[in-house]
């Protein structure tokens, strides 16, 4: 039995979504973030040394990292959720599977970090805010704008990230695009991206994953 070690409001939500798309049976082992630090509880380290989510176990197999989990599940159980490996679309699929965490998430994470810097203790808050504003203005905001413009343009070639058909690449891209809405400036000014987001939210498997995984909100 596949077990998803599921942390609330985390990347593990898209693992549940993929499993629902594949129609595979699975169990959810739930973990709650610390309400003060918003970090994962130490119990997750019993499953994987880094104590991060998602982690999937299946017998003696322990898989961590969203991309590795999704690719393994698709290879074993759902080749219909990836393009033919001999096709040009497969190269796009592979690109987006790695781009989501390798390129798009870092500036979104930096935005979250510097938003927290601005909440420093009162005595140093003016200095912290000044430093944060400078980093955002010179690096984070232009970087995010470039990524969002890139994604908007890429969706002009097809409704889904790998082309004409929905794939696991769309599942992988969901978390950073959701994060871009929460804290990266994504709004109706980029209609293709917002339409893509609407369409994934309407998928029955996405909705079932939310029902089973619990309320899902990107930390902002």
């Amino acid at each position: 039995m596949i077990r998803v070690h599921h942390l609330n409001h985390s990347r593990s939500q898209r693992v549940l979504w993929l499993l629902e798309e594949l129609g595979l049976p699975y169990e959810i082992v739930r973990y709650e973030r610390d309400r003060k630090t918003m970090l994962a509880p130490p119990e997750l380290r019993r499953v994987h040394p880094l104590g991060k989510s998602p982690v999937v176990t299946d017998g003696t197999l322990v898989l961590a990292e969203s991309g590795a989990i999704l690719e393994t599940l698709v290879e074993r159980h759902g080749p219909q959720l990836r393009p033919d490996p001999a096709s040009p679309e497969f190269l796009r699929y592979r690109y987006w599977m790695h781009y989501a965490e390798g390129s798009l998430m870092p500036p979104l994470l930096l935005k979250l970090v510097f938003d927290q810097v601005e909440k420093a203790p009162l005595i140093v808050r003016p200095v912290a805010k000044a430093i944060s504003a400078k980093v955002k203005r010179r690096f984070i905001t232009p970087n995010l704008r470039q990524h969002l413009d890139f994604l908007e343009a890429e969706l002009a070639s097809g409704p889904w990230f790998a082309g004409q058909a929905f794939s696991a690449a769309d599942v992988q891209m969901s978390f950073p695009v959701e994060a871009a809405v929460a804290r990266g400036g994504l709004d109706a000014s980029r209609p293709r991206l917002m339409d893509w987001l609407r369409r994934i939210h309407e998928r029955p498997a996405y909705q079932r994953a939310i029902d089973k995984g619990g309320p899902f909100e990107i930390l902002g």
Side-chain angles (χ1 to χ4, degrees):
M1 173 64 71
I2 296 171
R3 287 185 172 88
V4 181
H5 295 265
H6 175 55
L7 180 66
N8 62 321
H9 307 305
S10 79
R11 290 164 169 81
S12 56
Q13 187 63 46
R14 59 186 167 186
V15 177
L16 302 183
W17 176 21
L18 182 76
L19 288 166
E20 290 294 332
E21 292 282 357
L22 294 174
L24 293 176
Y26 63 93
E27 294 179 357
I28 300 175
V29 184
R30 299 180 188 276
Y31 302 83
E32 294 290 321
R33 293 181 182 273
D34 183 286
R35 292 191 178 185
K36 291 184 177 179
T37 67
M38 298 308 293
L39 298 176
E43 289 80 7
L44 258 173
R45 295 196 188 112
R46 298 173 190 165
V47 186
H48 188 276
L50 293 180
K52 306 276 185 190
S53 183
V55 177
V56 167
T57 56
D58 188 1
T60 59
L61 176 67
V62 179
L63 274 176
E65 290 295 335
S66 302
I69 292 169
L70 298 193
E71 286 190 298
T72 301
L73 289 172
V74 168
E75 286 170 2
R76 293 186 173 189
H77 305 286
Q80 72 274 16
L81 286 185
R82 70 177 186 186
D84 183 335
S87 68
E89 289 77 15
F90 185 78
L91 295 178
R92 287 181 60 84
Y93 166 83
R94 176 173 283 169
Y95 175 79
W96 297 116
M97 291 295 288
H98 292 269
Y99 167 90
E101 293 290 336
S103 293
L104 186 52
M105 275 308 299
L108 288 165
L109 179 59
L110 283 174
K111 176 64 165 51
L112 177 63
V113 169
F114 278 92
D115 284 347
Q116 296 305 308
V117 166
E118 294 178 3
K119 300 175 184 177
L122 284 173
I123 192 170
V124 296
R125 191 170 295 174
V127 174
K129 282 189 171 183
I131 293 171
S132 175
K134 188 173 183 179
V135 173
K136 288 179 181 178
R137 183 176 64 254
R138 291 191 175 183
F139 177 72
I140 298 175
T141 300
N143 203 309
L144 285 172
R145 187 179 299 120
Q146 183 180 33
H147 278 287
L148 294 178
D149 288 344
F150 169 60
L151 295 174
E152 181 73 8
E154 285 294 304
L155 285 174
S157 63
W160 304 105
F161 276 104
Q164 298 301 312
F166 173 83
S167 74
D170 297 290
V171 179
Q172 177 73 341
M173 284 293 294
S174 64
F175 189 87
V177 175
E178 299 264 19
V181 172
R183 59 175 178 263
L186 176 56
D187 57 25
S189 64
R190 295 179 175 87
R192 294 190 192 100
L193 265 175
M194 296 303 290
D195 179 66
W196 174 86
L197 200 57
R198 176 189 59 78
R199 286 185 283 111
I200 68 169
H201 288 169
E202 290 176 350
R203 293 184 71 85
Y206 182 97
Q207 295 173 16
R208 289 196 303 273
I210 296 292
D211 289 342
K212 293 181 181 179
F216 175 60
E217 181 180 355
I218 299 288
L219 301 178

